[in-house]
Amino acid sequence: MFYFLANPIISYNLFLIAAAVIPAVILMIKVYKSDRLEKESPALMRKLVVAGILSALLALVEEWIGEAVLNVFLEPSSTAYNVILYFIIVAFSEESSKYLLLKKRTWKSPEFNCSFDGVVYAVFVSLGFALWENISYVMSYGFSTAIVRAVTAIPGHACFGVFMGVFYGIAKRAELHHKNGKASVFRKLSVIFPVILHGAYDYIASNGSDIANYVFLAFIAVMFLCSYILVGKQAKNDTYLTR
């Protein structure tokens, strides 16, 4: 312990890691406490955070390949390039990777017995993703990046997770009621809707103009407000899933 305190480089790195991790942990606790019917096991929650980290690594590979292919066919300065980059290569890679790990860990879990569980699971996977991504950014660009991402990117991933989880929970209920067509539709929506939000978030943020900055602030404010209301409503109206 004294070695860490006496070594400014290690102490600074630990400080940056803490700055990157704490916002994600706070949001995890908030969502976990909102689960009023039946709290999920800590073991499952840890697995979901790890699943989120693994989804970040998977998405990184997909994005690297996708961007390399995109650079062959389109000019980086073109509108088409940016739309494909942010909506398909980045947003779809990241949200589909989260969903893949989410479904693998929870779809057949006996703990998935309440509709709000879908929100809890998806948010934990999303924040596991954001936690790893934030550590990478902060270690590269410093504490100022941690501050910006604490109020934008990390809550942004949580919001994407909220919408994914709502549709995911509906899909699970539909399957238990043998409505396989409805379940399939809502499983797809649990990826498509977050992809649209994520793509719009990145596309607007990348513009850089003064007008785009105001639009971005309005966009995240509305998204955060809707997500906050949705979490409260879903938690209040939570019911057990029955066959």
Side-chain angles (χ1 to χ4, degrees):
M1 178 65 180
F2 290 109
Y3 171 75
F4 290 133
L5 293 175
N7 190 315
I9 295 177
I10 293 178
S11 297
Y12 181 67
N13 286 342
L14 290 176
F15 176 72
L16 290 180
I17 291 172
V21 169
I22 288 172
V25 173
I26 290 173
L27 286 171
M28 288 176 186
I29 293 171
K30 166 65 178 174
V31 172
Y32 187 77
K33 286 186 174 181
S34 297
D35 190 358
R36 64 179 184 84
L37 282 186
E38 186 176 321
K39 293 288 190 292
E40 309 308 298
S41 69
L44 178 57
M45 296 297 94
R46 287 193 295 270
K47 289 179 181 178
L48 291 174
V49 173
V50 173
I53 293 172
L54 293 175
S55 71
L57 299 176
L58 176 60
L60 182 65
V61 174
E62 293 176 358
E63 289 171 17
W64 182 79
I65 295 172
E67 193 168 357
V69 173
L70 185 61
N71 285 329
V72 173
F73 294 99
L74 292 172
E75 289 294 326
S77 59
S78 68
T79 300
Y81 179 96
N82 288 322
V83 169
I84 294 172
L85 175 65
Y86 293 118
F87 281 89
I88 298 177
I89 294 176
V90 175
F92 183 77
S93 293
E94 294 188 6
E95 298 306 322
S96 64
S97 294
K98 293 176 192 174
Y99 175 81
L100 180 66
L101 273 294
L102 167 68
K103 188 170 185 292
K104 182 176 178 60
R105 290 291 190 188
T106 64
W107 190 254
K108 295 183 179 180
S109 171
E111 293 193 47
F112 195 176
N113 60 350
C114 299
S115 55
F116 189 69
D117 290 351
V119 175
V120 176
Y121 297 161
V123 168
F124 265 68
V125 170
S126 292
L127 289 175
F129 184 106
L131 184 152
W132 180 260
E133 184 182 59
N134 209 36
I135 291 175
S136 301
Y137 272 98
V138 170
M139 293 303 292
S140 298
Y141 302 109
F143 181 69
S144 60
T145 300
I147 298 299
V148 174
R149 292 183 60 80
V151 296
T152 55
I154 292 179
H157 278 289
C159 292
F160 308 148
V162 167
F163 286 97
M164 179 180 289
V166 169
F167 291 121
Y168 188 68
I170 295 172
K172 182 63 176 180
R173 182 183 294 278
E175 186 193 64
L176 291 175
H177 291 171
H178 307 291
K179 298 177 180 178
N180 294 329
K182 181 178 179 180
S184 178
V185 169
F186 277 95
R187 280 198 300 269
K188 291 181 175 65
L189 286 174
S190 69
V191 177
I192 293 171
F193 206 87
V195 165
I196 293 172
L197 286 177
H198 193 154
Y201 176 103
D202 286 347
Y203 184 81
I204 298 170
S206 70
N207 188 282
S209 68
D210 291 338
I211 294 177
N213 289 337
Y214 288 116
V215 172
F216 179 70
L217 291 174
F219 177 82
I220 59 175
V222 171
M223 184 174 67
F224 293 171
L225 179 61
C226 290
S227 297
Y228 184 84
I229 294 171
L230 196 55
V231 167
K233 183 177 180 180
Q234 291 291 311
K236 182 179 179 180
N237 298 327
D238 192 18
T239 57
Y240 285 99
L241 299 174
T242 56
R243 293 185 181 276

